Amino acid sequence: MVTVSRRQKANAVRALSMDAVQQAASGHPGAPMGLADLAEVLWCDHLKHNPKNPHWCDRDRFVLSNGHASMLLYSLLHLSGYELSVDDLKQFRQLHSNTPGHPEYGDTPGVETTTGPLGQGLANAVGMALAEKTLAAQFNRPGHRIVDHFTYALVGDGCLMEGISHEACSLAGTLQLGKLIVLYDDNGISIDGEVGDWFSDHTPQRFTAYNWHVIPDIDGHDPAAVGRALQAAKAETAKPSLLCCRTIIGFGSPNKAGTAASHGAPLGEQEVALARAQLDWQHPPFLIPEAIRAAWSAVATGAAAEQRWTQQFAAYQQTHPHLAAEFTRRLGRQLPAAWQNEARNIIAATNAAAQSVASRKASQNALQQFGPLLPELFGGSADLAESNLTLWSQSRAVSQTPRGNYIHFGVREFAMAAMVNGIALHRGFKPYGATFLMFSEYARNALRMAALMKIPSIFVFTHDSIGLGEDGPTHQPVEQLASLRLTPRMSVWRPCDAVETAVAWRAACESVAQPFCLVLSRQALPHQPRDSTQLEAIEKGGYVLHECKGAPQAILLATGSEVGLAMQAVQHARLRRRQIRVVSMPSLDRFAAQPRAYRESVLPSAVRARVAVEAGVTAPWREYVGLDGLVVGVDTFGESAPGAEVFKAFHITVEHVVDCVNRVL
């Protein structure tokens, strides 16, 4: 039997990484080559996973936050036995390959999250670790630990320079996420060179201040030292752990190791050949000797680990059948059997109650009603709970009780959104995070990542327009709503009253592959009466709220707080004899997805006299009003004054809407 050394196994990762980058003529070979030794220890000795079932629920999570080192992850997945072939590696960074430039969730078996924007993977990992801790508290019982796994994240200097790392890691320490283990690739190099001139933090002291367990000065090329550090980290249950691993970027490259030259470009054919000689790797590109491949394989150990868990879960099912059924339902993103009827009844009751409240208050009411049906609802606010109204009667903070369902994120909008994504990726919860719509700007890239990954994160944004009033233009969103709508795969809802808000929450709760943004008002909104047909039509994103007696001469389109204004306009004396249809469009993307016949029935193409009303930028509405229509909106920044006065100053008034309708007729 051939003995395979740890260094030989690590060199297989180095060889695959530099070969794939060289063949693609694009990529980042340095980090995979520098991280190969510590990755070998983690993946071969510590990581609990099953390559033949990447979705096993109790696997350890591994997040490559420094996603530019993607060939490290692809090499590890391939060598461990995942469905990622040598041919896939040869297609690195090519069109429609399973090995894109940065890891993409859903494209490659074993990739837990899409990474690339530095620091976000780390925040995703914090969300995953929080999900594990909370799910374990909710479902584990004495003698039955069906949720028991670690979350590992690999980060670089760039991840720790990004501000999101402060937000997420500060909260991770506060929440005592003891099963989160972060390995810091302390190689001292970024794209511009040695980082000393721009990154002089004392990282161990920084993380100690966050209440982390910190192990400094680990030789990342000494497997024994890395192994000891990992064992110590796993033994620490009250604090997350940071393992500071000193590595040499481009390890094995005679002329480029330890320099930025190995960071973001192929080594070059000559340097690859020299590296092969220095590493004593005498094999052609992409060829892994069978002995080394066998030493890497985790297929047998992974199958055995999952089999042990399956047996444990079978015993759990016998002892706790109701908990086991609920666990299975939640991990499968299935709704309770009674959901459809109960949700329909809640919406009907909301319609019958006819309350005129702010849609943020209606959102809280929806949480109050849907929450008992969905124990998987798990979220919170970025220090704005009293404004976003995300707390409801059964909210219990995870900082106070491990089985809780509410997260006080603090003033950390970016980390909140990325953690929500991590919780969604982990499964077992239906996560949401809330802040003011204006502060969606802080969370922007995490929102985009949710859409890119097609995950059902829910983002609640209140104080949705200039109508919030006195706080002024720094807090009054104008372009934010349009920007969210421009994000592919993002479903954006701006409801006009309590009923539409309840429907929006129902749609968000039913989503399994799309993130939702619920955009809500500060000010009270009038209830809009509806018949049963209109009530059913809300979920289509756009519907006729007010129908005229004959064929419409003009159509008024509106969302949110401006729907009430449009309804007032059609009752105005100057329009009373006109045939005006009012269309409420709480979700433009949902409406656009409807069959053409339905869209034509709501917005007949023959009716070209159209006016759209929304207290935001006007550009998104040009598609709906056409060249002959008008848009009442806001194409500049707001002003500080009471909300009603601000609306008047920007001509968001009944009189102006009436004038516009008469102009298009």
Side-chain angles (χ1 to χ4, degrees), residues 85 121 291 299 320 331 350 363 408 443 453 494 543 576 589 647:
S85 68
V299 172
H320 303 285
L331 268 293
T350 303
S363 172
H408 290 285
M453 291 189 281
R494 186 176 184 242
Y543 63 102
R576 202 166 291 157
D589 60 273
F647 272 129

Side-chain angles (χ1 to χ4, degrees), residues 483-494:
S483 180
L484 292 174
R485 286 173 176 154
L486 287 172
T487 306
R489 300 178 187 155
M490 179 72 76
S491 191
V492 182
W493 289 70
R494 186 176 184 242

Side-chain angles (χ1 to χ4, degrees), residues 163 202 248 402 433 435 465 475 540 555-556:
H202 194 297
I248 299 171
T435 186
S465 76
H475 284 54
K540 297 179 179 179
I555 300 175
L556 265 172

